Amino acid sequence: MSWFSKLLLPGRLRTGPTALLPARPDPKTLLAVAQLADPEARTDGDDILAGGSRIQPPVELTADVLAKLGVPDDDGLWACRIAAEGPLPVDFFDKSLAEGIAYRLGGWSLCQGEPLDPAEDAGDPLVYLPAVPEPEEILPVLSEALRHAEAVDGERWPEGELIEGVVHVPVRGGRVADVYAGADVLVTIEEGHRLPPAAQTRWPYLTQIAIARVSPVARTEEPEGEDADLAGTATGEAADGPAEGVPDADAAPGPLDAAAGTDADTDAGSDTNADTDAGSDTDADTDAGSDAEGADEVRAALLVRAAVAVTLAHALRGIAADSRGFQLAEPADALPGGYA
């Protein structure tokens, strides 16, 4: 069992995809999560076989091992290494398997020495379809599922046609077959994809499938980061420090440095410091509130897109999945930590 060696363990975890979990997963829970990616996943001794990959049993990692891996966690984690069975899995399925397990169990993934928090990027929900749906088949479903667009963006979609609140853009050539847009959600139909394990179980007679990708409509009118920096410069907000000719507050002499300092001056300085501390606390609370509000908006937008994917899957006899190929039975399944 050289894999458990203190010397070999960090190196082996770095090279292959690994799910780093905050707690030891229950074997039944781990199998249930793997079956979301491959319905035919099964146990093989202490391992789990899924989609041509072997999920090895969890091993506890102490702080010193995590430090060698470059993972910032002092409390310890449990590692489930993913090893390919035979040739590499199609479309790096072993990597997406590690990320999907970590996403649902509230952990990290590690591949080629790079730790990743999958919850920071949920990706776009997908719908696996046996064939590209005809517009008259999918448009009524999208008209009910999407918030309606008011008009066609002629610059972006010169060939777009507004039908019952949905912009339909036929695409000629390439993998993309059709594009459908509502007010804030874009559905892109792509054809000619190889079958992931979930689709192979449903349609073993097919060699290729179509995929509907549900993404947010890009808002190109919002300024990019560089434009925002230029705007800040125009208003006199320097990022690196005070403007030229303005003394730094820390370098300016305070009341105690004056030749004729008084108790009143000292008390005034104390009050000013107290106000400054209170202001700092308020700013911190404001930032925390803004972060929480932003996270809630991201979750809500993800739930909207996942609901569209689930609706399409039911109406078109497809399979709703997340960006890593894990099936979605309901929209809430797209949120991180659902099995933690």
Side-chain angles (χ1 to χ4, degrees):
M1 301 295 288
S2 61
W3 194 80
F4 293 95
S5 168
K6 290 285 186 181
L7 296 176
L8 296 179
L9 180 58
R12 287 183 177 261
L13 293 182
R14 279 196 194 97
T15 56
T18 301
L20 302 175
L21 309 174
R24 182 186 181 95
D26 177 76
K28 293 183 178 179
T29 300
L30 190 58
L31 177 61
V33 172
Q35 287 174 339
L36 295 177
D38 178 9
E40 295 184 345
R42 58 182 177 83
T43 57
D44 182 31
D46 293 333
D47 299 342
I48 295 175
L49 296 179
S53 298
R54 181 177 294 272
I55 306 171
Q56 298 180 347
V59 177
E60 186 174 13
L61 304 182
T62 56
D64 58 334
V65 175
L66 291 173
K68 294 179 182 178
L69 294 172
V71 179
D73 197 300
D74 296 331
D75 299 329
L77 295 173
W78 290 83
C80 289
R81 184 168 181 261
I82 315 297
E85 285 282 285
L88 288 177
V90 173
D91 295 332
F92 303 100
F93 181 73
D94 54 344
K95 182 176 183 292
S96 62
L97 187 61
E99 291 181 4
I101 291 172
Y103 186 81
R104 277 157 180 76
L105 293 176
W108 295 57
S109 70
L110 184 70
C111 186
Q112 296 182 347
E114 180 181 356
L116 170 71
D117 183 359
E120 294 182 353
D121 183 12
D124 295 329
L126 309 172
V127 182
Y128 301 140
L129 300 169
V132 174
E134 296 295 331
E136 55 269 19
E137 183 181 8
I138 191 174
L139 275 169
V141 181
L142 292 178
S143 181
E144 295 290 333
L146 301 183
R147 193 164 66 88
H148 287 184
E150 296 181 358
V152 178
D153 185 344
E155 293 184 1
R156 185 174 185 185
W157 298 306
E159 297 184 1
E161 180 183 6
L162 185 63
I163 304 173
E164 297 182 359
V166 180
V167 178
H168 173 220
V169 186
V171 180
R172 299 177 180 88
R175 174 171 285 186
V176 177
D178 288 290
V179 174
Y180 301 91
D184 45 20
V185 173
L186 192 70
V187 178
T188 306
I189 310 295
E190 303 171 2
E191 59 183 341
H193 285 267
R194 288 179 292 185
L195 275 72
Q200 193 170 15
T201 301
R202 174 79 69 87
W203 305 298
Y205 51 87
L206 294 179
T207 57
Q208 292 183 335
I209 60 169
I211 289 181
R213 190 178 306 275
V214 186
S215 58
V217 172
R219 294 174 176 82
T220 55
E221 69 274 14
E222 294 184 358
E224 300 296 333
E226 183 175 337
D227 294 336
D229 293 340
L230 293 175
T233 303
T235 57
E237 297 176 0
D240 296 332
E244 183 178 357
V246 179
D248 192 343
D250 294 335
L256 295 180
D257 296 329
T262 62
D263 293 339
D265 291 337
T266 304
D267 293 341
S270 300
D271 293 341
T272 302
N273 291 335
D275 292 341
T276 302
D277 293 341
S280 300
D281 293 341
T282 303
D283 291 342
D285 292 341
T286 302
D287 291 341
S290 299
D291 292 342
E293 183 177 352
D296 289 341
E297 291 178 356
V298 170
R299 288 168 62 93
L302 177 59
L303 283 174
V304 168
R305 301 199 305 275
V308 173
V310 171
T311 299
L312 282 175
H314 289 165
L316 302 177
R317 299 174 298 281
I319 302 171
D322 65 10
S323 61
R324 299 175 177 95
F326 284 66
Q327 296 178 79
L328 306 176
E330 56 186 32
D333 292 340
L335 296 176
Y339 283 73

